[in-house]
Amino acid sequence: MKAAVYDRYGEPDVLQIRDVPVSRAGRNQVLVRVRAAALNPKDVLIRRGKFPLLDGLTFPKRVGYDWSGEVRALGPGVSWPPVGARVFGMIQAWTAGACSEYLAANVSELALAPENLSFEQAAALPLASLTALQALRDVARMPAGAHVTIHGASGGVGVFAIAIAKQLGAHVTTTSSDGNLALCRSLGADVALDYRQDRVVDPERRCDVFFDVYGNQSFQQVQPMLSAQGTYVSTVPKRHVFVRWATTALSRQRCRLVIVHSRAKDLSLLATWAESGILKPVIDSRFSLADIREAQARVETRRARGKVIVTID
Ligand SMILES: NC(=O)c1ccc[n+]([C@@H]2O[C@H](COP(=O)([O-])OP(=O)(O)OC[C@H]3O[C@@H](n4cnc5c(N)ncnc54)[C@H](OP(=O)(O)O)[C@@H]3O)[C@@H](O)[C@H]2O)c1
């Protein structure tokens, strides 16, 4: 089967499409014919060698964590989902592999794809929408009626965070560049700010949860606007986040990091929300598997509106 692979860390030109053996579905896995994958900054960071201890130091490496497709075979111990089912999911292991024609997927890391979405739209969901859901619901423990600021709201995670925050009953303020203000409003932002013109941190604005999706603010910067029991949640594992996480462990105002987990139950909830129109995938661009270098280069610009999709025919 064809798969995106690379033999050393580096720029997008290390990426290649090669023939590799078709995966086999192991225990508690299904074999999926992948139809679409979505890329994330994580793919770029790993390819650049930023996490050598986590991704295993061995080559060749595979690409992609988000996928959608059809079940082709069931592994030992699996009775669901049936062969032929449309499914989507996120690979938890750092080994990746969504950008390939076939994938052995853990049943605990997939769900039935939303019936109203194309494969491309379904692939846009997993990692980014799971991150938004788990950051707001589980890490921030955001109560209904909370005022949330989503910083970096027009990217992969941000567009889902807007809709999920609204669904959880929040008043939502977003930050983006000028060109994405209308997008943020169309997704449900009550207030859309331009981070170049407006104050991202404004002590006059109520903020119970500050979701730093882009990751260039800090708990210390944001603290003056956080309410008495407010939470700052970052997506980016920087040193200052860990330090403040430790020092606010017992405080009412908290600094936290979200670490996304692939969970079938959460994927099913997100699929239900997609089917009822609460979650609408935003697709920045589509590339064929053969154009994996260009696809990753687009993610690397950090200017994508929503998700970069790789279609796999
Ligand atoms: N910890 C975890 O489990 C986890 C999970 C998922 C993602 N992440 C991390 O979360 C971050 C965001 O992920 P993503 O998928 O949303 O990334 P992304 O899709 O690449 O984000 C692109 C967005 O970033 C915005 N942006 C660019 N420069 C900005 C700036 N200076 N200030 C504010 N926003 C800016 C852009 O908006 P404009 O064009 O409007 O400026 C663009 O829409 C990444 O660092 C990723 O690695 C972590």
Side-chain angles (χ1 to χ4, degrees), residues 41 127 131 154-157 177 180 195 213-214 235 258 260 302-304:
L127 192 149
T131 304
S154 53
V157 175
S177 60
N180 286 326
Y195 60 73
V213 179
Y214 189 70
T235 57
V258 62
V260 65
R302 300 307 307 274
R303 290 259 90 90

Side-chain angles (χ1 to χ4, degrees), residues 7 26 38 47 50 53 108 110 116 122 147 153 166 169 173 179 184 194 196 210 227 230 244 290 294:
D7 296 318
R47 192 202 73 230
K50 299 289 186 198
L53 296 180
S108 61
L110 61 78
N116 58 331
H147 282 228
K166 291 305 296 177
T173 300
C184 293
D194 174 351
R196 293 195 185 103
F210 189 101
S227 55
R244 292 292 168 170
E294 289 77 5

Side-chain angles (χ1 to χ4, degrees), residues 61-304:
K61 290 195 189 302
R62 303 279 285 274
V63 176
Y65 293 87
D66 284 332
W67 57 270
S68 65
E70 294 150 341
V71 176
R72 285 291 167 84
L74 309 187
V78 177
S79 54
W80 183 96
V83 170
R86 294 172 81 248
V87 287
F88 76 127
M90 173 196 136
I91 300 167
Q92 184 73 42
W94 286 75
T95 43
C99 292
S100 52
E101 288 178 323
Y102 290 89
L103 169 72
N106 293 329
V107 173
S108 61
E109 296 174 4
L110 61 78
L112 294 179
E115 285 178 10
N116 58 331
L117 298 191
S118 65
F119 282 123
E120 295 174 11
Q121 291 170 314
L125 284 168
L127 192 149
S129 64
L130 284 169
T131 304
L133 175 70
Q134 292 169 8
L136 295 171
R137 181 194 63 185
D138 304 340
V139 179
R141 293 184 235 133
M142 197 181 69
H147 282 228
V148 58
T149 297
I150 300 169
H151 176 57
S154 53
V157 175
V159 295
F160 291 124
I162 300 171
I164 291 170
K166 291 305 296 177
Q167 173 63 11
L168 297 177
H171 177 279
V172 176
T173 300
T174 59
T175 74
S176 68
S177 60
D178 178 45
N180 286 326
L181 294 174
L183 172 70
C184 293
R185 285 195 200 100
S186 75
L187 294 169
D190 297 289
V191 179
L193 302 178
D194 174 351
Y195 60 73
R196 293 195 185 103
Q197 300 284 337
D198 304 313
R199 296 184 71 181
V200 172
V201 176
D202 180 358
E204 302 294 310
R205 198 169 79 237
R206 178 177 157 193
C207 181
D208 304 307
V209 175
F210 189 101
F211 186 18
D212 187 1
V213 179
Y214 189 70
N216 65 349
Q217 304 294 306
S218 69
F219 175 73
Q220 241 174 324
Q221 284 171 303
V222 167
Q223 198 174 14
M225 73 184 283
L226 273 186
S227 55
Q229 303 201 41
T231 305
Y232 162 91
V233 184
S234 179
T235 57
V236 182
K238 291 185 177 167
R239 189 172 173 277
H240 67 79
V241 176
F242 289 113
V243 170
R244 292 292 168 170
W245 187 350
T247 60
T248 63
L250 301 175
S251 312
R252 286 161 49 136
Q253 286 182 326
R254 304 179 308 143
C255 173
R256 295 289 184 273
L257 172 74
V258 62
I259 300 170
V260 65
H261 287 97
S262 188
R263 287 193 202 112
K265 199 173 162 197
D266 284 350
L267 287 164
S268 291
L269 173 65
L270 294 161
T272 308
W273 284 350
E275 281 168 355
S276 53
I278 294 162
L279 275 191
K280 294 188 181 75
V282 176
I283 295 185
D284 173 83
S285 45
R286 298 171 174 77
F287 296 85
S288 67
L289 184 60
D291 292 328
I292 188 68
R293 294 176 179 178
E294 289 77 5
Q296 280 213 1
R298 176 61 187 155
V299 176
E300 209 154 1
T301 64
R302 300 307 307 274
R303 290 259 90 90

